[in-house]
Structures are given as C-alpha cells and as structure tokens.
Amino acid sequence: MTRLYLARHGETVDNERQIMQGQTQGELNINGRVQALQLSHQFADEPLDAIIASDLHRSIQTARILAEPHHMAVVTTPLLRERDWGGFTGRYIPDLKGEAWPDDIESLAQLKERARRFLDWLRASYPDQQVLAVGHGIINKAIQAVYFNKEMSEIERMKNAEVRILDI
C-alpha cells in the first residue's frame, strides 16, 4: 500500500487577489512561503520516499520547500495540474457569479479521469512507499472523489498548505 500525503500548494498572489488561476504558473506570496515552511517542519522527520508536484510553478515552489529537509529532488507531473478554467482563467472570481460557463473549461469527467490516471501512476511508480504530492484545490478534490468514490461536491475544500492522507 502506498501512503499518499496529498497537499495543496501555499497561498499565492492570485489566491489573495481572488483571481481564477487555473493552469497559470502562479507565484507564492509571503504567507504561502510561510505556510510551506511550516508544513516542511511538520514533515521534516517523516520518512518520505518521494516528493511530487504539479508542473505549475506554485506547486513546485511549495514542494521544493518541503523537500529541503529531506535533501530530495521534486518529481513533477502534469497529472496534478489544476483544473483548466478556460475563458475564466485570469478573471476576478466574484465577477464570475451567474456567468455562463465557457465551452473551454475542463469538464468534471475529464478532471476525474486525470485524477484516476494520477492514482494509477502513483500506485505503479511508488508501490508501498510514502509519497508527498503537492497539487491544487480542485484536482486534489477530484483525486479524493475518485479515491472515496464520491461526488466532488461531497469532498470538503482544502485550504492552502493543508494535507490529507490517502492509503492507496
């Protein structure tokens, strides 16, 4: 059994500004770096076999901070990328309320299929290991929905730098 510590990246400049980031690179703000550092202290003595991150900058930044005490490299994968928000990307979130969704948003079915592929890849690549993976709010929700066989709406939103444990 592989133990997955599923983390969300630290707070970003765009989180703070309520901007829909989607698959943009993003940048941790000061608070996000502090959150990642606090999380790295929590995991400093945890025996980890791998640290994985989405290939988006905000997750890589978080994962590198988490990897420092372990002297480990960060493995990246596009499977952990945030949901593609299409035409909503870069927009102020409160302004989106009531707007019709553009056709170019990644569907929940596509997102959950990507989450399934991530879990399958993780099981195959890291059997019986302890892995810390840094993703994003919505893809992490999809991973948990697939794991627990629930609807995404049934999964509680993850805060920045929050971790949930899944034994897969």
Side-chain angles (χ1 to χ4, degrees):
M1 173 175 41
T2 299
R3 173 154 282 185
L4 170 61
Y5 296 99
L6 184 62
R8 183 177 176 203
H9 61 78
E11 185 180 70
T12 67
V13 172
D14 283 344
N15 288 146
E16 187 177 21
R17 293 180 182 162
Q18 297 185 64
I19 300 297
M20 186 69 80
Q21 293 174 96
Q23 295 189 357
T24 60
Q25 292 298 323
E27 180 74 30
L28 295 183
N29 63 14
I30 292 168
N31 187 46
R33 287 191 288 278
V34 169
Q35 290 170 332
L37 192 57
Q38 289 171 339
L39 196 56
S40 79
H41 294 312
Q42 285 180 262
F43 277 88
D45 295 325
E46 192 67 44
L48 297 173
D49 297 298
I51 298 177
I52 300 169
S54 151
D55 62 350
L56 299 176
H57 185 63
R58 59 195 187 264
S59 285
I60 294 170
Q61 278 184 293
T62 302
R64 284 184 178 151
I65 292 168
L66 296 171
E68 282 179 25
H70 300 276
H71 308 288
M72 296 174 73
V74 173
V75 175
T76 61
T77 177
L79 293 172
L80 275 176
R81 277 186 184 180
E82 183 57 296
R83 185 178 192 182
D84 183 350
W85 286 103
F88 279 172
T89 302
R91 303 262 318 271
Y92 182 60
I93 294 169
D95 287 348
L96 301 176
K97 187 175 180 168
E99 273 200 40
W101 283 38
D103 293 335
D104 59 354
I105 291 177
E106 184 176 16
S107 73
L108 289 181
Q110 291 168 321
L111 188 65
K112 286 176 86 173
E113 177 55 31
R114 186 156 52 88
R116 270 186 206 86
R117 288 195 327 264
F118 170 74
L119 289 170
D120 290 345
W121 171 79
L122 193 68
R123 280 185 203 100
S125 301
Y126 301 95
D128 301 317
Q129 295 184 42
Q130 294 204 117
V131 178
L132 175 60
V134 182
H136 308 267
I138 306 299
I139 186 61
N140 286 4
K141 241 186 164 188
I143 290 166
Q144 293 170 83
V146 168
Y147 175 81
F148 291 113
N149 195 27
K150 292 186 173 188
E151 295 301 317
M152 290 198 37
S153 60
E154 297 177 86
I155 305 298
E156 190 175 327
R157 179 181 183 272
M158 289 180 77
K159 298 179 184 91
N160 290 107
E162 182 181 342
V163 176
R164 300 207 178 138
I165 301 171
L166 307 176
D167 289 322
I168 59 172

